Amino acid sequence: MSIMCDRSIEGFIQLIARYRPNFPQEIQGASVAQIDAFAELVYQVSALTLPLDYRNFLLRMGVAAPGFVVDTSQSGWGERVPWCAFVEDASPDLESLYEYYSYQLEDGESPPPQCLVVGVFGLHCQEVFLECHKDLAGRVFSQISNSKVFWSESWVGHLYKQAFRYIISNHMQIQAQSLINREAASELAELARIYGLQVMWFSDTFDFCAASLDLEILLYISSYATSPRFYLAGKKQSWSWIPNRRASSAVADFWQFLKRSEVNN
């Protein structure tokens, strides 16, 4: 579990590599010169200094992070502006961000105060922002009709939550999933604590993430405070762990609770 607890960009890379060994060789970082040029442009537009965590991310994955960035240059994505990318999982390449900020400078526009744009996605070029306070990387959010939709409390936490979802969807067997109400989400999170699941450091007010010490059980509650959906997952090679443990473990409580708490879509 030490990898899961390492609050760094390198820790995120090693966590993915635990399940996808070639990941460190697949990613491509930006050069110091590229990052410095981008940082200068950002300062011209917003008078912001790149936070250290985000700068470190660019050094390791600023050009490519396969599996965590959708390449919208491929056929089938339609007509889109060059910097447009789906970035719920990470960030578009630095070249795209540089082009975006160049347009901002040319048009005399700028992101909200103390906010760095780390991605643009969707048909309407919706931005993803990273709050910056005294050169520290803060909350990650998008904005819809002047209303902020928060994704994570921090940039590194944002990456780890993407890793958590990646592990569940690609290397686990999802045993139960459903929309639930906020009260049920709170009760389910409390059950996780009572029965020994470790609440991950990147779990926050926006998403709840917990896992057993051996990573055999993962519980993820997305949109925890608004419209929660839970995912209860186990290792694919032991997909029958729920029925095998009902008589003697917390899994029985989870299973019965989830049956009572499910709501129809």
Side-chain angles (χ1 to χ4, degrees):
M1 288 294 291
S2 58
I3 294 178
M4 191 73 87
C5 296
D6 185 352
R7 308 184 185 198
S8 68
I9 301 298
E10 198 60 39
F12 163 77
I13 294 170
Q14 293 306 313
L15 176 58
I16 299 300
R18 179 170 179 169
Y19 297 88
R20 195 165 121 199
N22 293 332
F23 188 64
Q25 289 73 50
E26 294 171 347
I27 59 178
Q28 184 178 350
S31 68
V32 172
Q34 285 176 304
I35 296 172
D36 286 345
F38 176 62
E40 183 178 348
L41 182 57
V42 168
Y43 190 83
Q44 286 181 284
V45 171
S46 301
L48 282 180
T49 302
L50 294 184
L52 181 59
D53 282 344
Y54 189 71
R55 189 181 182 92
N56 288 340
F57 166 79
L58 294 176
L59 281 168
R60 297 293 276 124
M61 291 174 280
V63 173
F68 288 85
V69 178
V70 174
D71 183 3
T72 57
S73 66
Q74 296 179 358
S75 60
W77 288 101
E79 294 294 328
R80 298 172 184 271
V81 290
W83 57 81
C84 190
F86 283 83
V87 293
E88 186 168 353
D89 292 334
S91 170
D93 62 274
L94 187 57
E95 182 180 351
S96 297
L97 283 175
Y98 189 93
E99 185 171 1
Y100 172 85
Y101 267 92
S102 296
Y103 276 89
Q104 291 274 301
L105 184 63
E106 182 179 326
D107 294 342
E109 299 178 356
S110 64
Q114 302 302 117
C115 288
L116 175 70
V117 174
V118 294
V120 184
F121 71 100
L123 290 172
H124 302 291
C125 307
Q126 184 178 338
E127 292 101 336
V128 180
F129 300 102
L130 174 62
E131 290 182 344
C132 302
H133 303 286
K134 296 181 179 178
D135 300 337
L136 298 177
R139 295 179 296 181
V140 181
F141 70 96
S142 57
Q143 192 161 307
I144 302 175
S145 301
N146 296 321
S147 178
K148 293 181 178 179
V149 179
F150 288 98
W151 293 0
S152 184
E153 292 282 1
S154 69
W155 177 250
V156 178
H158 171 65
L159 294 180
Y160 268 79
K161 282 199 282 188
Q162 308 316 316
F164 202 70
R165 289 204 288 263
Y166 168 81
I167 293 168
I168 287 175
S169 61
N170 292 278
H171 298 278
M172 295 282 174
Q173 182 73 35
I174 296 177
Q175 299 292 336
Q177 60 175 310
S178 180
L179 288 170
I180 52 176
N181 58 42
R182 281 180 283 181
E183 181 181 359
S186 179
E187 291 182 46
L188 187 55
E190 185 59 28
L191 270 178
R193 295 184 179 94
I194 290 173
Y195 285 100
L197 293 190
Q198 180 179 351
V199 179
M200 301 290 92
W201 69 266
F202 46 89
S203 181
D204 54 28
T205 56
F206 314 123
D207 298 287
F208 181 84
C209 306
S212 59
L213 292 176
D214 57 4
L215 288 182
E216 185 175 347
I217 304 172
L218 271 65
L219 173 65
Y220 173 61
I221 306 176
S222 63
S223 303
Y224 182 74
T226 53
S227 53
R229 174 183 287 273
F230 75 84
Y231 299 84
L232 183 62
K235 289 182 178 178
K236 285 185 176 179
Q237 60 266 35
S238 57
W239 61 271
S240 60
W241 58 270
I242 283 187
N244 286 346
R245 294 185 173 201
R246 281 182 185 171
S248 60
S249 79
V251 175
D253 298 87
F254 280 133
W255 195 247
Q256 292 303 318
F257 178 85
L258 299 180
K259 284 183 177 179
R260 297 194 308 268
S261 303
E262 289 181 1
V263 296
N264 294 327
N265 292 321

